[in-house]
Amino acid sequence: MVVKRIRLRKALHARPAALFVRAAIDSGAFVMLGRPGAAPVDARSIVSVLGLDIRAGEEVELSAPEAVLGRLVAVLESP
Amino acid sequence: MIIEGPVVWHRPSFIQSEPVPAAEALRRVARECEQRAESAPAEAAEMLRAQAMMARDPVLLDRMEALAAAGQYPFEVADSFGIAHADLRDVIERAMHHCRGMVRAPMPRPGHPHVLVARSLSATDMLELDRGTVRGILTIEGGPTSHAAILARSFGIPFLAGYAEAACLTDGQVVRVEVPSPSLRFPDVPLLANVSTLDDALAAAPVADGIGLLRTEFLYPSLDYRPLVAPFEGRPVVIRVLDLGDRDENPLGVRGLRYLRRHEDMLERQLAAIAALPRPVSVMAPMVATVEDAAWFVTRARGFGIAEVGVMIEVPSAALCAEEILEVADFASIGTNDLTQFTFAASREEAALASYQDASHPAVLRLIETAVTAGKRRGKPVGVCGEAAADPAFAATLVGLGVSSLSLPVTLLPRR
């Protein structure tokens, strides 16, 4: 598992969250998302990801195997 | 435009059916969403697929089963997540109806041309419409910027919201109602877009005459506006410098230009980035209250070689002093949302005061007129940006007053 810290330009509302969760599921890996210093949630659950209520400009921590990390970061960073 | 035909009422009701366990209820909701997504316009389809994903999320099922076992209403599932997410709440509510053996009656499909009448319609209702036979829609409640009205526009179905007389109509009665022309396009008045993200810019490029308000807060800390500006080659673009505030988020506090005057380095970095764009754009400042504010900003922006420098008119004092302000600034853009809340001293976040958020009230109109008249006298353009301008009747009033452009959220821009 690699942990990567990212500042999000967009809020994780239903549609961007759905895109990210879809990518996490499709990666076939165990992926977690959370705020730095707080307990992360299973990134394959859209209900859990929406529960984080991430706003535009916030920093998040993504934990995923190195092989899939780059792809997931790209989805989170896409405008 | 005229809505004409026999009335068919839609009165939401429930049909009794077999109660099902939570797992089956959520499966049904997911299938409903997926089926609707197939025939929905792109934006709605994406939302519906996100909802289907929520309904298929095992975490939601666990929560619903745990709460049902504890004897709580599944309704409280949404609260137990500590979020008030409207789309998720909708999924849970619909699943709960299935759990209780109640199914919402479908929208009427009379099989002949008709005028649909309802108290109000949701976005979900609109997606269930029999678009082949609906000649028009009348609702007692709602307004021209509701979800339902926007979807109706995208389907090309005439829609009149807030039509109180509809309450007296009966099924089968033939009505004929004239709908004010929904056109927001007026000769010589450019229709611009309010843009906050790259997605907005890409969506606006085919339908807008330019960008009337490029908000930079959502892009921050990025100061790279090239990808947003590029699709608007040959068309005007107005970039508004950062509208940030101190922590308390008080709309009357240190925000907008007041904040930038205390963080001048931040403004200078942004102005430098804007001046370095490969094409000229205009800039404007938010929350300008006085001539002195305007002069301070204009001097800074000109220092970076930016030719067109304007101000937002959101504060009543700026509207009242527009003539002096337009002596120093090249243009002004009236922000109807803030101007309205400041005129009535009624926060637009306060639901109990929603009735004050009326940009067409004479008090606000007089301020708009003062600013527009000042612009004419000085020979400087004064436009309007804000959702209120999406109401065709209000837009016509603004154009009548002499505004030089209308700038709307991308979702409210009519297709060409």
Side-chain angles (χ1 to χ4, degrees):
Chain A
M1 282 298 239
V2 185
V3 180
K4 167 113 176 145
R5 208 178 262 216
I6 309 157
R7 188 175 294 280
L8 291 187
R9 290 199 282 167
K10 62 190 174 192
L12 277 187
H13 291 146
R15 282 183 294 161
L19 285 177
F20 168 69
V21 170
R22 170 56 51 207
I25 293 171
D26 291 347
S27 76
F30 183 58
V31 182
M32 290 194 300
L33 186 76
R35 287 192 173 79
V41 301
D42 185 345
R44 297 166 302 180
S45 159
I46 187 167
V47 173
S48 305
V49 169
L50 286 175
L52 290 172
D53 194 20
I54 304 283
R55 311 286 174 87
E58 273 198 80
E59 226 175 29
V60 293
E61 267 180 6
L62 177 66
S63 319
E66 188 143 26
V68 302
L69 191 73
R71 157 103 192 96
L72 294 172
V73 169
V75 173
L76 277 179
E77 284 183 339
S78 71
Chain B
M1 212 188 315
I2 286 172
I3 294 179
E4 189 170 15
V7 166
V8 171
W9 264 92
H10 169 57
R11 294 187 173 84
S13 59
F14 290 95
I15 302 166
Q16 198 62 38
S17 73
E18 196 70 22
V20 296
E24 175 58 21
L26 285 166
R27 255 197 303 278
R28 288 186 186 181
V29 173
R31 275 200 300 269
E32 286 163 15
C33 294
E34 283 153 0
Q35 278 165 11
R36 282 194 199 124
E38 280 168 27
S39 57
E43 202 176 319
E46 246 182 281
M47 182 194 87
L48 286 163
R49 276 192 275 270
Q51 283 192 311
M53 194 183 234
M54 296 172 204
R56 293 202 188 276
D57 190 335
V59 172
L60 182 56
L61 176 59
D62 281 353
R63 293 284 184 112
M64 280 188 68
E65 283 182 334
L67 289 171
Q72 281 180 282
Y73 285 123
F75 183 73
E76 286 157 23
V77 173
D79 296 324
S80 80
F81 284 98
I83 51 173
H85 195 282
D87 295 333
L88 178 55
R89 205 171 259 278
D90 180 50
V91 167
I92 294 165
E93 260 180 53
R94 278 156 53 196
M96 179 190 69
H97 291 146
H98 284 296
C99 287
R100 288 176 173 163
M102 285 157 61
V103 179
R104 256 191 84 153
M107 294 283 278
R109 287 177 175 270
H112 58 75
H114 64 285
V115 174
L116 188 74
V117 180
R119 174 151 291 282
S120 69
L121 291 172
S122 69
T124 314
D125 292 334
M126 290 301 293
L127 295 168
E128 270 182 31
L129 271 186
D130 183 6
R131 280 180 249 163
T133 57
V134 176
R135 291 288 167 267
I137 300 171
L138 304 170
T139 65
I140 297 169
E141 292 166 4
T145 57
S146 69
H147 241 104
I150 294 163
L151 283 170
R153 215 174 294 153
S154 74
F155 296 153
I157 299 172
F159 188 107
L160 185 57
Y163 182 63
E165 293 90 330
C168 310
L169 298 172
T170 53
D171 273 308
Q173 179 185 351
V174 174
V175 283
R176 189 186 152 84
V177 184
E178 199 169 340
V179 184
S181 159
S183 173
L184 289 171
R185 294 192 186 276
F186 302 89
D188 306 321
V189 180
L191 194 56
L192 309 170
N194 300 344
V195 164
S196 305
T197 62
L198 180 59
D199 279 351
D200 287 351
L202 296 176
V207 290
D209 300 323
I211 299 180
L213 167 64
L214 196 164
R215 294 190 184 94
T216 52
E217 304 79 74
F218 302 99
L219 301 162
Y220 191 76
S222 166
L223 298 175
D224 181 11
Y225 310 119
R226 279 171 302 180
L228 288 88
V229 170
F232 289 87
E233 207 184 327
R235 286 175 277 175
V237 169
V238 182
I239 299 184
R240 185 179 71 185
V241 296
L242 289 161
D243 185 5
L244 300 175
D246 274 344
R247 286 209 166 271
D248 60 355
E249 295 192 359
N250 175 4
L252 299 177
V254 178
R255 61 167 269 227
L257 188 66
R258 298 150 184 205
Y259 183 84
L260 294 172
R261 291 190 73 161
R262 284 161 182 78
H263 298 83
E264 206 175 325
D265 54 324
M266 194 184 222
L267 175 66
E268 286 180 348
R269 262 181 285 130
Q270 192 178 21
L271 289 173
I274 293 168
L277 285 168
R279 55 158 283 185
V281 297
S282 309
V283 290
M284 65 180 177
M287 285 299 284
V288 167
T290 63
V291 182
E292 199 272 327
D293 276 347
W296 185 90
F297 177 69
V298 171
T299 309
R300 298 288 169 306
R302 289 222 205 290
F304 283 86
I306 298 170
E308 289 288 309
V309 186
V311 298
M312 292 282 295
I313 294 188
E314 307 156 284
V315 183
S317 62
L320 294 167
C321 297
E323 186 140 5
E324 293 85 344
I325 286 177
L326 284 168
E327 210 167 315
V328 293
D330 300 313
F331 66 93
S333 183
I334 300 170
T336 49
N337 291 344
D338 272 339
L339 185 60
T340 306
Q341 74 163 346
F342 296 150
T343 301
F344 293 109
S347 169
R348 58 179 151 130
E349 307 295 330
E350 178 59 66
L353 302 179
S355 64
Y356 287 109
Q357 300 311 312
D358 177 10
S360 59
H361 188 280
V364 184
L365 281 179
R366 278 176 209 161
L367 290 171
I368 295 174
E369 189 183 18
T370 304
V372 171
T373 308
K376 279 188 204 151
R377 234 177 261 148
R378 294 269 168 221
K380 308 257 176 96
V382 176
V384 166
C385 55
E387 284 85 353
D391 174 356
F394 186 58
T397 307
L398 293 172
V399 171
L401 286 175
V403 305
S404 59
S405 63
L406 300 172
S407 193
L408 298 179
V410 181
T411 46
L412 300 180
L413 282 171
R415 304 197 173 165
R416 277 193 199 274

